Amino acid sequence: MQILIQGGRVIDPASGTDTVADVAISSGRILAIGTAPAGFAPQTTINAQGCVVAPGLVDLSVRLREPGHEHEGMLASEMAAAVAGGVTSVVCPPDTEPVLDEAGLVEMLRYRAERLHQARVFPLGALTRNLQGEVLTEMLQLTQAGCVAFSQAEVPLLNTQVTQRALQYASTFGYTVWLRPQEAYLGKGVAASGPLATRMGLSGVPVAAETIALHTIFELVRSTKARVHLCRISSAAGVELVRQAKAEGLPVTCDVSINSLHLTDVDIGYFDSRMRLNPPLRQQRDRDALRAALADGTIDALVSDHNPVSADEKTLPFAEAEPGATGLELLLSLALKWAQQSGLGVAEAVATVTSRSALVLGGALGTFAASAGRLTAGGAADICVFDPAAHWVVEPSALVSQGQHTPFGGYELPGRVKATLVGGRVAYTAA
């Protein structure tokens, strides 16, 4: 099919493009940005006047909940939520049931996702068998099955020797290891340590849980030269350690969740279980440091940390509620809100969820690396068209995701997705 996206503001942070132009699409690829070639006859025209035409969003932290947790999210519902939020590529952690520690399981997940013809799915393989932290998985086989990196998801590695061996192996073969920096025993609380948690009688997670883990990871990176991506940095002290590691030249990247970027522990209010999240919400000074670090590039990307949770698991006392929130449909709007509050433009917001996210994945995407998170002639037509001036109120019951619990319910947010294209096919249009 040939499609023409007409009259939109084309923003491609990867190339620095920011201009009003048409985008011509044919056979799943971008044919031209600007004047369409002679003979181009579109069957579909999308009027993008007043809208931004951007690369499809790349979300580095999306739990699809299938297989194993279908009561919290089905693959079909979460893929539909992705394209409704302008997200065309999602990276999912390996903590499904069964765990993604065998090639056959990865292939089945990718096959089922591809049959839905919505967003692209890039699985993370389990770093250790069944995420038990004892025996390394067959990383080569998992890579051949389509895994883009390896992770322990939320399960910390207790044995530092296993971590060292995993990084040595990954370094040898050029794989990237994704780790969430949290010391296993200090990280067992339900809220960030501080005056609020103390007053409320909630078990705390100190900043040291993050910084101790970061020190360990950086020492192992120095000795193994492995590439490590740090998932969901949450503290000012953690940001400073990452900044120092990057200045030293260590091959590390990191991301931050929309929750940590906009909320603080004060938002817990009267034990609001919607605010029960991992990592826990920290103090305002931490949030301010995270915002500044995303702006200056210390933090590479913004993620939705999409983790749909059932009503039965969420409507419990705060300490007993399952951590997690839906986020796919909020990622773009919360990126725009951060940019507005930080005095930045739309292009900077778009970069944090497109080109900068794609750079984290790098060569692991294979031939798709040249297209991910960018608009380029000849590249795959993964495109998000949105109205940056439109505002909408988050109504959890109106979200497409099966998990409708979000800490942003009732918030008025900027930016509304009008259309999402994946591989040159219209996967979503606003009603």
Side-chain angles (χ1 to χ4, degrees):
M1 176 175 286
Q2 293 188 332
I3 300 172
L4 181 67
I5 303 176
Q6 196 170 50
R9 177 186 172 188
V10 178
I11 294 179
D12 178 35
S15 64
T17 299
D18 188 345
T19 185
V20 175
D22 296 344
V23 178
I25 298 163
S26 179
S27 302
R29 296 196 168 271
I30 297 173
L31 192 62
I33 299 174
T35 304
F40 179 75
Q43 289 100 344
T44 300
T45 299
I46 298 173
N47 182 0
Q49 289 188 359
C51 294
V52 169
V53 180
L57 276 58
V58 180
D59 194 342
L60 301 179
S61 182
V62 178
R63 279 181 169 76
L64 301 173
R65 310 307 283 171
E66 188 181 340
H69 296 269
E70 286 82 359
H71 63 291
E72 295 181 308
M74 299 288 286
L75 195 59
S77 66
E78 306 319 299
M79 288 290 93
V83 293
V87 179
T88 58
S89 296
V90 302
V91 176
C92 62
D95 54 347
T96 51
E97 290 183 12
V99 169
L100 298 181
D101 59 0
E102 294 183 4
L105 297 171
V106 174
E107 290 167 351
M108 179 58 71
L109 174 62
R110 294 184 65 215
Y111 171 73
R112 294 189 64 185
E114 286 170 3
R115 287 189 65 189
L116 294 172
H117 301 294
Q118 292 182 315
R120 304 176 193 269
V121 174
F122 298 99
L124 297 175
L127 191 63
T128 61
R129 290 184 189 171
N130 206 31
L131 298 177
Q132 292 180 343
E134 297 173 357
V135 180
L136 299 184
T137 54
E138 296 290 344
M139 294 188 199
L140 175 60
Q141 293 180 10
L142 289 171
T143 300
Q144 291 172 340
C147 289
V148 294
F150 300 91
S151 166
Q152 280 289 109
E154 291 293 313
V155 184
L157 280 166
L158 298 177
N159 190 329
T160 308
Q161 188 176 53
V162 172
T163 310
Q164 182 183 44
R165 288 173 178 167
L167 293 181
Q168 287 173 333
Y169 187 90
S171 177
T172 300
F173 293 95
Y175 305 144
T176 302
V177 175
W178 292 34
L179 300 171
R180 189 162 88 77
Q182 180 153 292
E183 201 277 333
Y185 298 102
L186 291 176
K188 289 185 176 180
V190 298
S193 295
L196 185 112
T198 301
R199 287 198 305 271
M200 299 178 74
L202 297 173
S203 56
V205 178
V207 168
E210 183 166 279
T211 56
I212 288 171
L214 284 172
H215 278 296
T216 301
I217 292 168
F218 293 153
E219 283 298 325
L220 293 175
V221 169
R222 288 185 185 100
S223 63
T224 63
K225 312 302 181 187
R227 289 198 307 269
V228 170
H229 177 69
L230 304 163
C231 304
R232 286 163 290 144
I233 292 291
S234 70
S235 69
V239 164
E240 186 54 36
L241 289 176
V242 172
R243 185 175 284 116
Q244 293 171 12
K246 287 191 167 188
E248 183 185 332
L250 296 184
V252 296
T253 54
C254 68
D255 62 51
V256 64
S257 81
I258 54 175
N259 305 312
S260 297
L261 195 71
H262 287 280
L263 304 170
T264 68
D265 59 350
V266 173
D267 291 300
I268 292 173
Y270 293 101
F271 301 96
D272 186 347
S273 62
R274 295 177 304 166
M275 306 293 169
R276 174 77 168 93
L277 303 163
N278 269 337
L281 299 175
R282 297 200 174 276
Q283 285 77 37
Q284 183 174 336
R285 63 179 177 272
D286 297 297
R287 183 189 65 181
D288 292 346
L290 294 169
R291 287 174 166 234
L294 184 62
D296 68 25
T298 300
I299 295 176
D300 296 272
L302 180 63
V303 302
S304 70
D305 193 18
H306 181 76
N307 188 12
V309 177
S310 71
D312 289 344
E313 298 295 336
K314 206 63 176 174
T315 52
L316 292 171
F318 186 89
E320 299 173 24
E322 182 177 341
T326 189
L328 273 167
E329 295 159 80
L330 308 178
L331 178 59
L332 174 62
S333 291
L334 288 171
L336 293 170
K337 184 178 180 69
W338 159 77
Q340 289 177 0
Q341 294 174 339
S342 301
L344 302 172
V346 174
E348 286 86 355
V350 169
T352 65
V353 290
T354 58
S355 58
R356 286 168 59 173
S357 300
L359 282 174
V360 170
L361 295 167
L365 295 177
T367 56
F368 186 61
S371 300
R374 63 186 305 161
L375 300 177
T376 180
D382 287 8
I383 299 172
C384 171
V385 181
F386 67 92
D387 183 351
H391 285 72
W392 61 292
V393 176
V394 180
E395 297 179 13
S397 62
L399 295 175
V400 177
S401 171
Q402 188 172 321
Q404 297 184 330
H405 294 279
T406 168
F408 298 100
Y411 277 57
E412 183 177 314
L413 299 178
R416 195 67 166 164
V417 175
K418 296 299 183 182
T420 305
L421 284 73
V422 182
R425 185 187 57 83
V426 179
Y428 170 82
T429 53

